[in-house]
Amino acid sequence: MSRLQTVLAALAAAVSLVGLVLALLAGDAPLPVLCTLLAGSLTAVRLRFAWSIWADGAVMVLSAVAILMALPAYDSEPLFFWLALVACWAFAWLFVERLSQAIRQRQVSGKIFGLIIPLIFGLALLFIWEVVTRGANVPQVLLPAPSQIWARLIDSVPTLVADFQQTFLKAVLAGYAMGCGAGFIVAIIVDRSPFLKRGLLPIGNFVSALPIIGIAPIMVMWFGFDWQSKAAVVVAMTFFPMLINTVAGLNQSSSIERDLMRTYAAGYSQTLLKLRLPAAAPFIFNALKINSTLALIGAIVAEFFGTPIVGMGFRISTEVGKLNIDLVWAEIAVAAVAGSVFYGVIALIERAVTFWHPSVRGGRA
Amino acid sequence: MRQLLAGKTAPILIVLLAIGLFWYAAAIWMNAPWQQTLNQRAGLENVSAIDFVAQTWAQDKPLLPAPHQVAGEIWNATVGTDIASKRSLAYHAGITLSATLLGFALGTLLGVGLAVMIVHNDASERSLMPWIIASQTIPILAIAPMVVVGLGAVGVTGLLPKALISMYLSFFPVVVGMVKGLRTPEAIQLDLMHTYSATPWQVFAKLRWPAAVPFLFASMKVGIAISLIGAVVGELSNNAGGGLGVRLLTGSYNGQTIQIWAALFIAAGLAALLVIAVGGAERLVNRAMGARP
């Protein structure tokens, strides 16, 4: 075991032991917590005997379950409860540490267990969030527990669906298609003229560093409260990344490849379609991926400036005002899932289109 | 002439000029209907074309203010107003700037810290990296109102909530860039350090860190621009605090288009200045570290 692992193992066992003593002294500790603290203390035998990595994982899962079961038992949780939480966290870290070492030494398959590690981290984060918010009675306006958010999400599905339709299906998709399409077409036009390339590109680069989102109030004034104004903001935000990336991508094909096309007597459009656009595909998809996030942000923030009474940004800004923070979190969860799926779909299309690229063919680019 | 056109300056200036002309033309076109209504109400008949154009460029609350109106408003609101006054754009820009810088500093520190951890520890790379990347596919600016209001409800107001949003936005490019940068030293260089029996700390300070500095600056340029966006959006949820975001919001409530445009241009100028400042720092550090120009 490495030094970090030894320290973690000692910490986990010691904290469990102290927790166990405190729990026994308190007298009214729930049985599951007692059992896991006992199991945690017993792991100290690893100083003499080898202790399986899976045993660490089992202790981690058991103590997590025990802590969750003990949550409603007290008004304010006693010290041994928090020690159990610390021990659980230490076991989780130790387990992940040993698992990644095992993957590095090829004792277990990296394909499956490489996915488990981030999953454990995510679940641990949710778990600590839940336990700390409920155990320490964190004010609900500051941070509601994940279980509360989930309950609220289930309760208000119709509202969330309506907001999703208004913001995502209307504003984001329309604006994204128009902005990316316009950026693409302008890039192909600009590409034909070296003069425009020199003049427009530095400006485009500059503009994409600017807080374009600030034009939202102007767009609301011009295009009204409904989704058209949000789509306009999205168009403005997505246009420049697409323009810059496409122009950069069109310059990717090397002169030797272009010469080959010339020897085939290929015209401009043939060279564009068969050589330069495919070579530009990784850049274009890069812009599409950046824009997928930008589009959602643009639409939501634009709704802070005025909407009809539906939409994700509208819901967030009004429910924050009413201190319904759990509904806001539910809305953000929907936005997060929508954003990730949007991004994921584009990434999948990218894999299919740029199958020839080293980063897709396997091996690290 | 040909030489001038072959450079970058002339094409940029010509494109900017074209944008300016287009803007003036658009201002006439967009403001004309309202100006006609105004003239009818005032009983003005037979306004000559030149006068009419001048009128569309001088409205009080135009649909699209002409560039000189925006420039005038910027001048009046910065140089022409007392800097401590709440009407001064410089005052509001200062508020936004301080939140941006605080958030950017925190975000850069967090990003560098995470990158160091990820490079030196397998387990943290495997558990953190997927989530760091996933966290960027979600529209994180949506949490801005909640951070501001939630922290406000427990008594934390002012700079910190906005800075936290900026921090969250700006740490990502730094993490990704620094992980790449700290990994640039090749195995042969690491082996050399090993033969010198260098401690892990020495390897970090003398090999990895210097190799990562160019990446750090590239990421910081991206990070500071989005920090500013975070601060501006954070201000939208706290009307009392002031800042460029508040100017945008009050401008949109009152239909003060010139005020909106002025705030927008100040924000853009601020972003440009910040990026240029990071670029300048980059050149200074590069020179101090003996980089070849």
mmCIF file of all heavy atoms in Angstrom, chain A residues 4 97 100 103-104 118 121 198 206 209-210 214 217-218 221-222 293 297 320 329 332 336 339-340, chain B residues 5-7 63 121-123 126 128 131 136-138 141 143 146 149 225 252 257 261 264 268 272:
data_model
loop_
_atom_site.group_PDB
_atom_site.id
_atom_site.type_symbol
_atom_site.label_atom_id
_atom_site.label_comp_id
_atom_site.label_asym_id
_atom_site.label_seq_id
_atom_site.Cartn_x
_atom_site.Cartn_y
_atom_site.Cartn_z
ATOM 1 N N LEU A 4 -0.207 7.254 1.091
ATOM 2 C CA LEU A 4 -1.524 7.882 1.178
ATOM 3 C C LEU A 4 -2.569 6.868 1.636
ATOM 4 O O LEU A 4 -3.406 7.148 2.499
ATOM 5 C CB LEU A 4 -1.903 8.461 -0.187
ATOM 6 C CG LEU A 4 -3.274 9.117 -0.269
ATOM 7 C CD1 LEU A 4 -3.343 10.291 0.680
ATOM 8 C CD2 LEU A 4 -3.565 9.564 -1.685
ATOM 9 N N GLU A 97 -9.033 5.000 -4.196
ATOM 10 C CA GLU A 97 -7.581 5.051 -4.336
ATOM 11 C C GLU A 97 -7.027 3.668 -4.689
ATOM 12 O O GLU A 97 -6.229 3.503 -5.611
ATOM 13 C CB GLU A 97 -7.005 5.551 -3.004
ATOM 14 C CG GLU A 97 -5.556 5.911 -3.017
ATOM 15 C CD GLU A 97 -5.278 7.224 -3.712
ATOM 16 O OE1 GLU A 97 -6.086 8.162 -3.533
ATOM 17 O OE2 GLU A 97 -4.291 7.300 -4.442
ATOM 18 N N SER A 100 -8.154 2.575 -8.244
ATOM 19 C CA SER A 100 -7.413 3.146 -9.379
ATOM 20 C C SER A 100 -6.006 2.583 -9.437
ATOM 21 O O SER A 100 -5.451 2.429 -10.527
ATOM 22 C CB SER A 100 -7.404 4.671 -9.312
ATOM 23 O OG SER A 100 -6.780 5.098 -8.147
ATOM 24 N N ILE A 103 -6.394 -0.656 -11.192
ATOM 25 C CA ILE A 103 -6.558 -0.471 -12.633
ATOM 26 C C ILE A 103 -5.205 -0.187 -13.275
ATOM 27 O O ILE A 103 -4.871 -0.723 -14.335
ATOM 28 C CB ILE A 103 -7.536 0.690 -12.915
ATOM 29 C CG1 ILE A 103 -8.951 0.309 -12.481
ATOM 30 C CG2 ILE A 103 -7.530 1.045 -14.397
ATOM 31 C CD1 ILE A 103 -9.925 1.440 -12.609
ATOM 32 N N ARG A 104 -4.407 0.647 -12.595
ATOM 33 C CA ARG A 104 -3.103 0.993 -13.149
ATOM 34 C C ARG A 104 -2.234 -0.250 -13.273
ATOM 35 O O ARG A 104 -1.492 -0.411 -14.241
ATOM 36 C CB ARG A 104 -2.436 2.032 -12.252
ATOM 37 C CG ARG A 104 -1.304 2.770 -12.933
ATOM 38 C CD ARG A 104 -0.853 3.972 -12.142
ATOM 39 N NE ARG A 104 -0.571 3.655 -10.766
ATOM 40 C CZ ARG A 104 -1.091 4.278 -9.718
ATOM 41 N NH1 ARG A 104 -1.961 5.250 -9.919
ATOM 42 N NH2 ARG A 104 -0.787 3.948 -8.502
ATOM 43 N N PRO A 118 -15.772 7.571 -11.146
ATOM 44 C CA PRO A 118 -16.501 8.845 -11.127
ATOM 45 C C PRO A 118 -17.921 8.694 -10.590
ATOM 46 O O PRO A 118 -18.448 9.620 -9.964
ATOM 47 C CB PRO A 118 -16.511 9.277 -12.596
ATOM 48 C CG PRO A 118 -16.105 8.111 -13.380
ATOM 49 C CD PRO A 118 -15.288 7.247 -12.493
ATOM 50 N N PHE A 121 -17.749 8.889 -6.948
ATOM 51 C CA PHE A 121 -17.515 10.271 -6.530
ATOM 52 C C PHE A 121 -18.817 11.072 -6.579
ATOM 53 O O PHE A 121 -19.159 11.791 -5.638
ATOM 54 C CB PHE A 121 -16.458 10.915 -7.425
ATOM 55 C CG PHE A 121 -16.136 12.317 -7.041
ATOM 56 C CD1 PHE A 121 -15.301 12.586 -5.977
ATOM 57 C CD2 PHE A 121 -16.677 13.380 -7.736
ATOM 58 C CE1 PHE A 121 -14.997 13.874 -5.622
ATOM 59 C CE2 PHE A 121 -16.388 14.682 -7.382
ATOM 60 C CZ PHE A 121 -15.545 14.926 -6.320
ATOM 61 N N ARG A 198 -8.748 38.629 -43.229
ATOM 62 C CA ARG A 198 -7.873 39.424 -42.375
ATOM 63 C C ARG A 198 -8.653 40.461 -41.584
ATOM 64 O O ARG A 198 -8.284 40.804 -40.468
ATOM 65 C CB ARG A 198 -6.803 40.103 -43.229
ATOM 66 C CG ARG A 198 -5.689 39.179 -43.652
ATOM 67 C CD ARG A 198 -4.464 39.968 -44.091
ATOM 68 N NE ARG A 198 -4.791 40.925 -45.149
ATOM 69 C CZ ARG A 198 -4.805 40.622 -46.446
ATOM 70 N NH1 ARG A 198 -4.492 39.414 -46.832
ATOM 71 N NH2 ARG A 198 -5.116 41.530 -47.341
ATOM 72 N N PHE A 206 -12.296 38.894 -31.257
ATOM 73 C CA PHE A 206 -12.486 39.863 -30.187
ATOM 74 C C PHE A 206 -13.910 39.770 -29.647
ATOM 75 O O PHE A 206 -14.126 39.715 -28.436
ATOM 76 C CB PHE A 206 -12.193 41.252 -30.731
ATOM 77 C CG PHE A 206 -12.489 42.358 -29.783
ATOM 78 C CD1 PHE A 206 -11.702 42.538 -28.665
ATOM 79 C CD2 PHE A 206 -13.551 43.208 -30.004
ATOM 80 C CE1 PHE A 206 -11.978 43.556 -27.788
ATOM 81 C CE2 PHE A 206 -13.830 44.226 -29.128
ATOM 82 C CZ PHE A 206 -13.043 44.398 -28.015
ATOM 83 N N ALA A 209 -14.935 37.173 -27.124
ATOM 84 C CA ALA A 209 -14.514 37.344 -25.726
ATOM 85 C C ALA A 209 -15.414 38.327 -24.992
ATOM 86 O O ALA A 209 -15.262 38.501 -23.790
ATOM 87 C CB ALA A 209 -13.071 37.827 -25.670
ATOM 88 N N LEU A 210 -16.349 38.959 -25.708
ATOM 89 C CA LEU A 210 -17.179 39.990 -25.077
ATOM 90 C C LEU A 210 -18.402 39.377 -24.401
ATOM 91 O O LEU A 210 -18.842 38.290 -24.778
ATOM 92 C CB LEU A 210 -17.646 40.998 -26.118
ATOM 93 C CG LEU A 210 -16.542 41.731 -26.861
ATOM 94 C CD1 LEU A 210 -17.144 42.727 -27.824
ATOM 95 C CD2 LEU A 210 -15.628 42.436 -25.884
ATOM 96 N N GLY A 214 -25.163 40.447 -22.758
ATOM 97 C CA GLY A 214 -25.734 41.743 -22.382
ATOM 98 C C GLY A 214 -26.697 42.313 -23.401
ATOM 99 O O GLY A 214 -27.455 43.226 -23.081
ATOM 100 N N PRO A 217 -31.409 42.514 -23.100
ATOM 101 C CA PRO A 217 -32.487 43.504 -22.957
ATOM 102 C C PRO A 217 -32.830 44.186 -24.269
ATOM 103 O O PRO A 217 -33.999 44.479 -24.529
ATOM 104 C CB PRO A 217 -31.928 44.508 -21.943
ATOM 105 C CG PRO A 217 -30.483 44.249 -21.861
ATOM 106 C CD PRO A 217 -30.283 42.815 -22.206
ATOM 107 N N ILE A 218 -31.822 44.406 -25.132
ATOM 108 C CA ILE A 218 -32.094 45.052 -26.419
ATOM 109 C C ILE A 218 -32.942 44.138 -27.289
ATOM 110 O O ILE A 218 -33.913 44.569 -27.921
ATOM 111 C CB ILE A 218 -30.768 45.389 -27.113
ATOM 112 C CG1 ILE A 218 -29.991 46.385 -26.262
ATOM 113 C CG2 ILE A 218 -31.007 45.941 -28.492
ATOM 114 C CD1 ILE A 218 -28.540 46.474 -26.606
ATOM 115 N N MET A 221 -36.447 44.125 -26.339
ATOM 116 C CA MET A 221 -37.123 45.326 -26.825
ATOM 117 C C MET A 221 -37.480 45.199 -28.299
ATOM 118 O O MET A 221 -38.534 45.649 -28.741
ATOM 119 C CB MET A 221 -36.185 46.508 -26.629
ATOM 120 C CG MET A 221 -36.799 47.672 -25.921
ATOM 121 S SD MET A 221 -35.486 48.785 -25.487
ATOM 122 C CE MET A 221 -35.314 48.446 -23.781
ATOM 123 N N TRP A 222 -36.596 44.610 -29.078
ATOM 124 C CA TRP A 222 -36.805 44.544 -30.523
ATOM 125 C C TRP A 222 -37.790 43.458 -30.912
ATOM 126 O O TRP A 222 -38.618 43.643 -31.792
ATOM 127 C CB TRP A 222 -35.483 44.276 -31.249
ATOM 128 C CG TRP A 222 -34.561 45.451 -31.279
ATOM 129 C CD1 TRP A 222 -34.820 46.688 -30.753
ATOM 130 C CD2 TRP A 222 -33.258 45.514 -31.843
ATOM 131 N NE1 TRP A 222 -33.756 47.507 -30.952
ATOM 132 C CE2 TRP A 222 -32.769 46.824 -31.618
ATOM 133 C CE3 TRP A 222 -32.445 44.599 -32.510
ATOM 134 C CZ2 TRP A 222 -31.517 47.234 -32.045
ATOM 135 C CZ3 TRP A 222 -31.198 45.002 -32.932
ATOM 136 C CH2 TRP A 222 -30.739 46.311 -32.701
ATOM 137 N N THR A 293 -23.808 24.598 -25.186
ATOM 138 C CA THR A 293 -23.909 25.150 -23.832
ATOM 139 C C THR A 293 -24.273 26.629 -23.877
ATOM 140 O O THR A 293 -25.138 27.091 -23.134
ATOM 141 C CB THR A 293 -22.579 24.988 -23.092
ATOM 142 O OG1 THR A 293 -22.045 23.728 -23.425
ATOM 143 C CG2 THR A 293 -22.769 25.094 -21.619
ATOM 144 N N ILE A 297 -27.474 28.744 -22.085
ATOM 145 C CA ILE A 297 -27.213 29.865 -21.182
ATOM 146 C C ILE A 297 -27.873 31.128 -21.718
ATOM 147 O O ILE A 297 -28.547 31.854 -20.982
ATOM 148 C CB ILE A 297 -25.693 30.085 -21.030
ATOM 149 C CG1 ILE A 297 -25.071 28.964 -20.221
ATOM 150 C CG2 ILE A 297 -25.405 31.418 -20.375
ATOM 151 C CD1 ILE A 297 -23.580 29.084 -20.075
ATOM 152 N N VAL A 320 -36.990 32.128 -7.296
ATOM 153 C CA VAL A 320 -35.960 32.609 -6.374
ATOM 154 C C VAL A 320 -36.518 33.746 -5.534
ATOM 155 O O VAL A 320 -36.317 33.813 -4.326
ATOM 156 C CB VAL A 320 -34.702 33.060 -7.148
ATOM 157 C CG1 VAL A 320 -33.932 34.091 -6.368
ATOM 158 C CG2 VAL A 320 -33.808 31.884 -7.434
ATOM 159 N N TRP A 329 -33.952 24.488 -7.929
ATOM 160 C CA TRP A 329 -32.995 23.397 -8.133
ATOM 161 C C TRP A 329 -33.558 22.363 -9.092
ATOM 162 O O TRP A 329 -32.818 21.812 -9.916
ATOM 163 C CB TRP A 329 -32.633 22.741 -6.806
ATOM 164 C CG TRP A 329 -31.516 23.425 -6.090
ATOM 165 C CD1 TRP A 329 -31.626 24.277 -5.038
ATOM 166 C CD2 TRP A 329 -30.120 23.337 -6.387
ATOM 167 N NE1 TRP A 329 -30.396 24.722 -4.654
ATOM 168 C CE2 TRP A 329 -29.448 24.160 -5.453
ATOM 169 C CE3 TRP A 329 -29.378 22.645 -7.323
ATOM 170 C CZ2 TRP A 329 -28.066 24.309 -5.452
ATOM 171 C CZ3 TRP A 329 -28.001 22.787 -7.321
ATOM 172 C CH2 TRP A 329 -27.363 23.608 -6.393
ATOM 173 N N ILE A 332 -33.076 23.670 -12.439
ATOM 174 C CA ILE A 332 -31.670 23.592 -12.836
ATOM 175 C C ILE A 332 -31.299 22.152 -13.183
ATOM 176 O O ILE A 332 -30.540 21.904 -14.119
ATOM 177 C CB ILE A 332 -30.772 24.157 -11.728
ATOM 178 C CG1 ILE A 332 -30.912 25.665 -11.728
ATOM 179 C CG2 ILE A 332 -29.325 23.767 -11.933
ATOM 180 C CD1 ILE A 332 -30.280 26.335 -10.568
ATOM 181 N N ALA A 336 -29.739 21.032 -16.556
ATOM 182 C CA ALA A 336 -28.479 20.299 -16.604
ATOM 183 C C ALA A 336 -28.621 19.062 -17.473
ATOM 184 O O ALA A 336 -27.763 18.777 -18.323
ATOM 185 C CB ALA A 336 -28.049 19.910 -15.195
ATOM 186 N N GLY A 339 -28.921 20.136 -21.087
ATOM 187 C CA GLY A 339 -27.631 20.556 -21.622
ATOM 188 C C GLY A 339 -26.720 19.371 -21.898
ATOM 189 O O GLY A 339 -26.099 19.293 -22.954
ATOM 190 N N SER A 340 -26.666 18.432 -20.940
ATOM 191 C CA SER A 340 -25.778 17.290 -21.127
ATOM 192 C C SER A 340 -26.230 16.423 -22.285
ATOM 193 O O SER A 340 -25.398 15.944 -23.068
ATOM 194 C CB SER A 340 -25.721 16.452 -19.854
ATOM 195 O OG SER A 340 -25.396 17.260 -18.774
ATOM 196 N N LEU B 5 -2.955 47.121 -47.597
ATOM 197 C CA LEU B 5 -4.077 46.184 -47.633
ATOM 198 C C LEU B 5 -3.638 44.778 -47.274
ATOM 199 O O LEU B 5 -4.434 43.966 -46.814
ATOM 200 C CB LEU B 5 -4.716 46.185 -49.016
ATOM 201 C CG LEU B 5 -5.592 47.401 -49.305
ATOM 202 C CD1 LEU B 5 -6.161 47.300 -50.703
ATOM 203 C CD2 LEU B 5 -6.703 47.513 -48.287
ATOM 204 N N ALA B 6 -2.357 44.471 -47.485
ATOM 205 C CA ALA B 6 -1.891 43.123 -47.191
ATOM 206 C C ALA B 6 -1.738 42.902 -45.691
ATOM 207 O O ALA B 6 -1.755 41.783 -45.217
ATOM 208 C CB ALA B 6 -0.559 42.870 -47.893
ATOM 209 N N GLY B 7 -1.594 44.029 -44.935
ATOM 210 C CA GLY B 7 -1.474 43.884 -43.485
ATOM 211 C C GLY B 7 -2.818 43.572 -42.855
ATOM 212 O O GLY B 7 -3.771 43.232 -43.552
ATOM 213 N N LEU B 63 -35.099 53.170 -30.773
ATOM 214 C CA LEU B 63 -35.067 51.710 -30.836
ATOM 215 C C LEU B 63 -33.612 51.260 -30.991
ATOM 216 O O LEU B 63 -33.180 50.295 -30.363
ATOM 217 C CB LEU B 63 -35.904 51.251 -32.032
ATOM 218 C CG LEU B 63 -36.576 49.898 -31.931
ATOM 219 C CD1 LEU B 63 -37.330 49.769 -30.621
ATOM 220 C CD2 LEU B 63 -37.527 49.701 -33.105
ATOM 221 N N ASN B 121 -2.352 12.572 -8.685
ATOM 222 C CA ASN B 121 -3.080 11.474 -8.057
ATOM 223 C C ASN B 121 -4.064 10.852 -9.043
ATOM 224 O O ASN B 121 -4.971 11.517 -9.535
ATOM 225 C CB ASN B 121 -3.807 11.999 -6.821
ATOM 226 C CG ASN B 121 -4.492 10.902 -6.057
ATOM 227 O OD1 ASN B 121 -5.237 10.127 -6.649
ATOM 228 N ND2 ASN B 121 -4.254 10.828 -4.774
ATOM 229 N N ASP B 122 -3.825 9.577 -9.305
ATOM 230 C CA ASP B 122 -4.650 8.836 -10.251
ATOM 231 C C ASP B 122 -6.123 8.858 -9.883
ATOM 232 O O ASP B 122 -6.991 9.104 -10.717
ATOM 233 C CB ASP B 122 -4.170 7.379 -10.243
ATOM 234 C CG ASP B 122 -3.851 6.927 -11.641
ATOM 235 O OD1 ASP B 122 -3.707 7.806 -12.497
ATOM 236 O OD2 ASP B 122 -3.750 5.711 -11.847
ATOM 237 N N ALA B 123 -6.367 8.564 -8.594
ATOM 238 C CA ALA B 123 -7.758 8.428 -8.162
ATOM 239 C C ALA B 123 -8.513 9.729 -8.349
ATOM 240 O O ALA B 123 -9.673 9.727 -8.764
ATOM 241 C CB ALA B 123 -7.807 7.996 -6.699
ATOM 242 N N ARG B 126 -9.398 10.204 -12.003
ATOM 243 C CA ARG B 126 -10.508 9.370 -12.446
ATOM 244 C C ARG B 126 -11.834 9.826 -11.865
ATOM 245 O O ARG B 126 -12.871 9.722 -12.518
ATOM 246 C CB ARG B 126 -10.251 7.914 -12.050
ATOM 247 C CG ARG B 126 -9.228 7.274 -12.924
ATOM 248 C CD ARG B 126 -8.995 5.849 -12.504
ATOM 249 N NE ARG B 126 -7.929 5.246 -13.278
ATOM 250 C CZ ARG B 126 -8.102 4.732 -14.486
ATOM 251 N NH1 ARG B 126 -9.288 4.750 -15.040
ATOM 252 N NH2 ARG B 126 -7.097 4.202 -15.133
ATOM 253 N N LEU B 128 -12.527 13.050 -10.599
ATOM 254 C CA LEU B 128 -12.892 14.453 -10.823
ATOM 255 C C LEU B 128 -13.101 14.800 -12.289
ATOM 256 O O LEU B 128 -14.060 15.487 -12.636
ATOM 257 C CB LEU B 128 -11.800 15.368 -10.260
ATOM 258 C CG LEU B 128 -11.761 15.505 -8.753
ATOM 259 C CD1 LEU B 128 -10.586 16.372 -8.340
ATOM 260 C CD2 LEU B 128 -13.045 16.139 -8.271
ATOM 261 N N TRP B 131 -16.472 14.695 -14.059
ATOM 262 C CA TRP B 131 -17.463 15.637 -13.511
ATOM 263 C C TRP B 131 -17.117 17.059 -13.863
ATOM 264 O O TRP B 131 -18.008 17.885 -14.070
ATOM 265 C CB TRP B 131 -17.562 15.468 -11.993
ATOM 266 C CG TRP B 131 -18.187 14.176 -11.635
ATOM 267 C CD1 TRP B 131 -17.560 13.097 -11.109
ATOM 268 C CD2 TRP B 131 -19.546 13.792 -11.817
ATOM 269 N NE1 TRP B 131 -18.435 12.068 -10.948
ATOM 270 C CE2 TRP B 131 -19.660 12.471 -11.379
ATOM 271 C CE3 TRP B 131 -20.665 14.438 -12.329
ATOM 272 C CZ2 TRP B 131 -20.866 11.776 -11.424
ATOM 273 C CZ3 TRP B 131 -21.858 13.752 -12.370
ATOM 274 C CH2 TRP B 131 -21.950 12.440 -11.927
ATOM 275 N N GLN B 136 -19.476 21.480 -17.266
ATOM 276 C CA GLN B 136 -19.476 22.569 -18.241
ATOM 277 C C GLN B 136 -20.542 22.401 -19.301
ATOM 278 O O GLN B 136 -20.783 23.317 -20.081
ATOM 279 C CB GLN B 136 -18.103 22.658 -18.902
ATOM 280 C CG GLN B 136 -17.029 23.051 -17.935
ATOM 281 C CD GLN B 136 -17.322 24.356 -17.250
ATOM 282 O OE1 GLN B 136 -17.632 25.349 -17.883
ATOM 283 N NE2 GLN B 136 -17.250 24.366 -15.926
ATOM 284 N N THR B 137 -21.164 21.239 -19.371
ATOM 285 C CA THR B 137 -22.231 21.087 -20.354
ATOM 286 C C THR B 137 -23.559 21.568 -19.787
ATOM 287 O O THR B 137 -24.544 21.599 -20.501
ATOM 288 C CB THR B 137 -22.378 19.625 -20.795
ATOM 289 O OG1 THR B 137 -22.796 18.865 -19.656
ATOM 290 C CG2 THR B 137 -21.080 19.061 -21.293
ATOM 291 N N ILE B 138 -23.587 21.933 -18.512
ATOM 292 C CA ILE B 138 -24.848 22.417 -17.960
ATOM 293 C C ILE B 138 -24.812 23.945 -17.921
ATOM 294 O O ILE B 138 -23.759 24.541 -17.751
ATOM 295 C CB ILE B 138 -25.117 21.838 -16.558
ATOM 296 C CG1 ILE B 138 -24.095 22.342 -15.553
ATOM 297 C CG2 ILE B 138 -25.107 20.342 -16.591
ATOM 298 C CD1 ILE B 138 -24.384 21.892 -14.163
ATOM 299 N N LEU B 141 -24.871 29.350 -15.547
ATOM 300 C CA LEU B 141 -25.270 30.717 -15.209
ATOM 301 C C LEU B 141 -26.677 30.743 -14.630
ATOM 302 O O LEU B 141 -27.051 31.697 -13.963
ATOM 303 C CB LEU B 141 -25.210 31.603 -16.448
ATOM 304 C CG LEU B 141 -23.882 32.289 -16.682
ATOM 305 C CD1 LEU B 141 -23.931 33.102 -17.942
ATOM 306 C CD2 LEU B 141 -23.544 33.186 -15.510
ATOM 307 N N ILE B 143 -27.741 29.187 -12.199
ATOM 308 C CA ILE B 143 -27.773 29.179 -10.741
ATOM 309 C C ILE B 143 -27.451 30.547 -10.161
ATOM 310 O O ILE B 143 -27.546 30.745 -8.958
ATOM 311 C CB ILE B 143 -26.803 28.147 -10.120
ATOM 312 C CG1 ILE B 143 -25.361 28.557 -10.373
ATOM 313 C CG2 ILE B 143 -27.072 26.762 -10.603
ATOM 314 C CD1 ILE B 143 -24.402 27.886 -9.431
ATOM 315 N N MET B 146 -29.890 32.129 -7.816
ATOM 316 C CA MET B 146 -30.046 31.372 -6.580
ATOM 317 C C MET B 146 -28.867 31.591 -5.642
ATOM 318 O O MET B 146 -29.056 31.731 -4.434
ATOM 319 C CB MET B 146 -30.153 29.904 -6.916
ATOM 320 C CG MET B 146 -30.700 29.117 -5.805
ATOM 321 S SD MET B 146 -30.994 27.501 -6.377
ATOM 322 C CE MET B 146 -29.470 27.156 -7.161
ATOM 323 N N VAL B 149 -29.386 35.188 -4.219
ATOM 324 C CA VAL B 149 -30.497 35.316 -3.277
ATOM 325 C C VAL B 149 -30.302 34.398 -2.072
ATOM 326 O O VAL B 149 -30.528 34.792 -0.931
ATOM 327 C CB VAL B 149 -31.833 35.017 -3.986
ATOM 328 C CG1 VAL B 149 -32.966 34.979 -2.989
ATOM 329 C CG2 VAL B 149 -32.095 36.085 -5.019
ATOM 330 N N ALA B 225 -12.428 36.507 -19.314
ATOM 331 C CA ALA B 225 -13.562 36.985 -20.101
ATOM 332 C C ALA B 225 -14.862 36.408 -19.547
ATOM 333 O O ALA B 225 -15.864 37.131 -19.395
ATOM 334 C CB ALA B 225 -13.385 36.601 -21.573
ATOM 335 N N SER B 252 -33.432 48.396 -19.160
ATOM 336 C CA SER B 252 -34.469 47.660 -19.882
ATOM 337 C C SER B 252 -35.836 47.887 -19.260
ATOM 338 O O SER B 252 -36.840 47.893 -19.951
ATOM 339 C CB SER B 252 -34.113 46.179 -19.954
ATOM 340 O OG SER B 252 -34.788 45.446 -18.984
ATOM 341 N N THR B 257 -32.739 52.953 -23.896
ATOM 342 C CA THR B 257 -31.861 52.150 -24.753
ATOM 343 C C THR B 257 -30.437 52.674 -24.766
ATOM 344 O O THR B 257 -29.494 51.897 -24.818
ATOM 345 C CB THR B 257 -32.394 52.128 -26.185
ATOM 346 O OG1 THR B 257 -32.936 53.393 -26.466
ATOM 347 C CG2 THR B 257 -33.439 51.070 -26.349
ATOM 348 N N TRP B 261 -27.038 50.450 -24.131
ATOM 349 C CA TRP B 261 -25.913 50.331 -25.065
ATOM 350 C C TRP B 261 -24.629 50.815 -24.425
ATOM 351 O O TRP B 261 -23.557 50.233 -24.626
ATOM 352 C CB TRP B 261 -26.203 51.117 -26.348
ATOM 353 C CG TRP B 261 -27.093 50.383 -27.281
ATOM 354 C CD1 TRP B 261 -28.455 50.504 -27.356
ATOM 355 C CD2 TRP B 261 -26.730 49.411 -28.253
ATOM 356 N NE1 TRP B 261 -28.948 49.661 -28.317
ATOM 357 C CE2 TRP B 261 -27.911 48.982 -28.894
ATOM 358 C CE3 TRP B 261 -25.514 48.850 -28.647
ATOM 359 C CZ2 TRP B 261 -27.922 48.033 -29.888
ATOM 360 C CZ3 TRP B 261 -25.526 47.900 -29.650
ATOM 361 C CH2 TRP B 261 -26.713 47.495 -30.263
ATOM 362 N N LEU B 264 -23.378 48.264 -22.114
ATOM 363 C CA LEU B 264 -22.886 47.134 -22.899
ATOM 364 C C LEU B 264 -21.479 47.416 -23.429
ATOM 365 O O LEU B 264 -20.582 46.572 -23.356
ATOM 366 C CB LEU B 264 -23.858 46.903 -24.059
ATOM 367 C CG LEU B 264 -23.886 45.547 -24.697
ATOM 368 C CD1 LEU B 264 -24.126 44.512 -23.633
ATOM 369 C CD2 LEU B 264 -24.992 45.504 -25.726
ATOM 370 N N ALA B 268 -17.966 45.621 -22.678
ATOM 371 C CA ALA B 268 -17.110 45.083 -23.737
ATOM 372 C C ALA B 268 -15.699 45.641 -23.611
ATOM 373 O O ALA B 268 -14.710 44.906 -23.721
ATOM 374 C CB ALA B 268 -17.701 45.419 -25.098
ATOM 375 N N ALA B 272 -12.212 43.626 -22.951
ATOM 376 C CA ALA B 272 -11.029 43.767 -23.804
ATOM 377 C C ALA B 272 -9.816 44.155 -22.968
ATOM 378 O O ALA B 272 -8.736 43.570 -23.112
ATOM 379 C CB ALA B 272 -11.292 44.815 -24.873
#
